[in-house]
Amino acid sequence: MKRSRIVDIAREAGVSKATVDRVIHSRGAVRADTALKVAEAAHRVDYYGSNLIDQQLAIKLPRIRFGFLLTKGKQEFYQSFSRELEFAVGTRDDVRGSTVVRFSPSQSPADVAEAMLALGEQTDVIACTAVNHHAVGEATLELRQKGKPTFALLTDFAQGTREHYIGLDNLKAGRIAAWMISLAAQTPGKIALFLGSNRWQGHELRETGFRSNLREADRDLTLLESVINLETRQLTYETTLALLERHDDLAGICVAGGGMEGAISALREARAPGEVALVVNELTSISRKALSDRYATMVISTPLAELCRETVELMVRAVRNGPAQAPGRRFLEPQIFLPPSV
């Protein structure tokens, strides 16, 4: 009876009975992808020892400790980001992955660098959302020298030292935002642009793209001096109310990073839906409601599930194959949400 079941597994997996026997009884070397095919076939034919095969394969799989350093741990977007990263690691069947997610205590380059180095002590490879600063670059180089590849997420940093950047083309995202506001602005007037900090390279690129596209638009729109909001809700709220009071002709607002909740709240208090065109970053319950109520004109969102899968795949390759000869970039297509789409 046992022999006939092995025959069934071999037929289902497209391998020899001897290969199945080696996998079941851990006799000799079998390629990882072949062993996985046997394990999957064992489940399909309902082999009584399929769970034991799974356990044996798990023991043989290489162990990788994945580290992720994010910011703003209390924000809905970063909570979703953390869950997607853990899911992406957990669904890998070619490694025994464990996940360590940490949140930087602040946006200070020194704090970020310290958090990166501490995370590197606990993990084999890390990926971060971090400001672009020499302290972060030095931490990235130190981690690289210790054999701990470092990846940049959402916004780039330490180019030439970090392993790979994965995220949106932020220059393109800025151009998309400006195009939407120039199209949606109901009257000529002023445009406000909020940036988290000049240290976020992604925000600088969005500002460049935004200014470039707004200059090309055939509209009488004037871009005000960019506002640094430190990606905080309260500062964005207070500054937006002040701008609305100071500029009766405020026609549009773009929040390139975090803090959009403050802009949405201010517009709800001081303006009618759609009176000021508003483009914000990332789809959350708050930005979705703002789209539904017509207080937000467009949401430019990162495809988180895809980003996390791509990041984990690249991290696995870096651990297996060593650092890449040249740092790379992986641009993802932005998800665009408009009022009719929610």
Side-chain angles (χ1 to χ4, degrees):
M1 190 68 175
K2 181 178 178 181
R3 183 179 296 277
S4 65
R5 299 298 284 172
I6 288 177
V7 170
D8 293 338
I9 297 172
R11 183 185 305 111
E12 183 71 19
V15 299
S16 69
K17 291 185 293 182
T19 298
V20 175
D21 183 75
R22 286 199 297 273
V23 172
I24 292 175
H25 299 104
S26 297
R27 297 171 179 162
V30 179
R31 285 177 47 180
D33 57 342
T34 302
L36 183 60
K37 285 170 58 177
V38 170
E40 292 172 345
H43 281 283
R44 289 197 295 271
V45 302
D46 199 25
Y47 178 62
Y48 71 92
S50 57
N51 289 332
L52 179 60
I53 297 174
D54 291 343
Q55 293 173 13
Q56 291 171 342
L57 292 182
I59 292 173
K60 296 176 182 178
L61 292 175
R63 183 185 178 214
I64 300 179
R65 298 170 299 167
F66 297 86
F68 301 100
L69 181 64
L70 308 178
T71 59
K72 303 286 183 180
K74 294 182 180 180
Q75 289 187 358
E76 180 182 344
F77 170 74
Y78 283 103
Q79 291 172 5
S80 299
F81 199 173
S82 175
R83 289 193 297 271
E84 287 289 351
L85 287 167
E86 291 180 348
F87 181 78
V89 172
T91 53
R92 296 288 300 207
D93 55 19
D94 56 342
V95 298
R96 286 188 297 149
S98 60
T99 307
V100 180
V101 179
R102 296 285 184 267
F103 293 94
S104 178
S106 76
Q107 295 184 17
S108 160
D111 285 346
V112 174
E114 183 178 351
M116 289 171 64
L117 293 174
L119 185 59
E121 292 297 319
Q122 306 173 51
T123 57
D124 303 304
V125 56
I126 72 172
C128 312
T129 56
V131 293
N132 190 36
H133 187 271
H134 66 83
V136 174
E138 289 170 2
T140 304
L141 177 59
E142 183 174 337
L143 288 166
R144 184 182 180 91
Q145 291 170 341
K146 291 180 178 180
K148 307 291 180 74
T150 301
F151 291 78
L153 303 178
L154 301 182
T155 178
D156 208 353
F157 61 83
Q159 293 184 15
T161 306
R162 55 90 176 137
E163 186 72 12
H164 218 91
Y165 164 73
I166 310 103
L168 301 184
D169 179 341
N170 286 298
L171 189 70
K172 178 180 178 181
R175 292 182 62 84
I176 292 172
W179 177 85
M180 186 73 255
I181 285 182
S182 66
L183 188 69
Q186 295 186 0
T187 60
K190 307 294 193 311
I191 305 296
L193 174 63
F194 285 88
L195 307 175
S197 165
N198 289 325
R199 289 172 173 164
W200 293 105
Q201 192 204 55
H203 294 191
E204 285 191 327
L205 288 173
R206 290 195 184 210
E207 179 184 26
T208 299
F210 193 93
R211 290 183 178 278
S212 173
N213 192 273
L214 204 62
R215 281 196 300 268
E216 296 172 7
D218 189 17
R219 295 291 307 275
D220 187 12
L221 298 171
T222 302
L223 182 61
L224 300 171
E225 190 70 25
S226 298
V227 180
I228 301 300
N229 68 348
L230 303 178
E231 298 196 291
T232 61
R233 177 193 303 235
Q234 187 63 26
L235 181 56
T236 309
Y237 168 75
E238 294 171 358
T239 306
T240 301
L241 284 179
L243 287 170
L244 291 169
E245 184 176 349
R246 190 179 309 127
H247 303 287
D248 290 335
D249 62 343
L250 191 67
I253 299 172
C254 174
V255 183
M260 64 175 172
E261 301 89 349
I264 292 168
S265 295
L267 287 177
R268 288 187 185 279
E269 288 185 19
R271 292 290 188 272
E275 188 175 341
V276 176
L278 174 65
V279 175
V280 297
N281 191 42
E282 305 303 351
L283 188 69
T284 67
S285 58
I286 293 176
S287 59
R288 182 184 292 274
K289 183 70 164 56
L291 281 173
S292 178
D293 296 341
R294 307 289 169 146
Y295 277 101
T297 310
M298 172 189 280
V299 174
I300 302 174
S301 190
T302 305
L304 274 184
E306 181 184 1
L307 181 145
C308 294
R309 287 195 303 270
E310 288 284 340
T311 299
V312 172
E313 171 64 25
L314 290 167
M315 293 170 84
V316 170
R317 292 183 194 175
V319 172
R320 284 176 171 168
N321 306 326
Q325 292 184 351
R329 294 185 302 178
R330 172 72 170 91
F331 288 150
L332 307 178
E333 285 299 317
Q335 295 177 324
I336 303 299
F337 295 92
L338 303 170
S341 65
V342 298

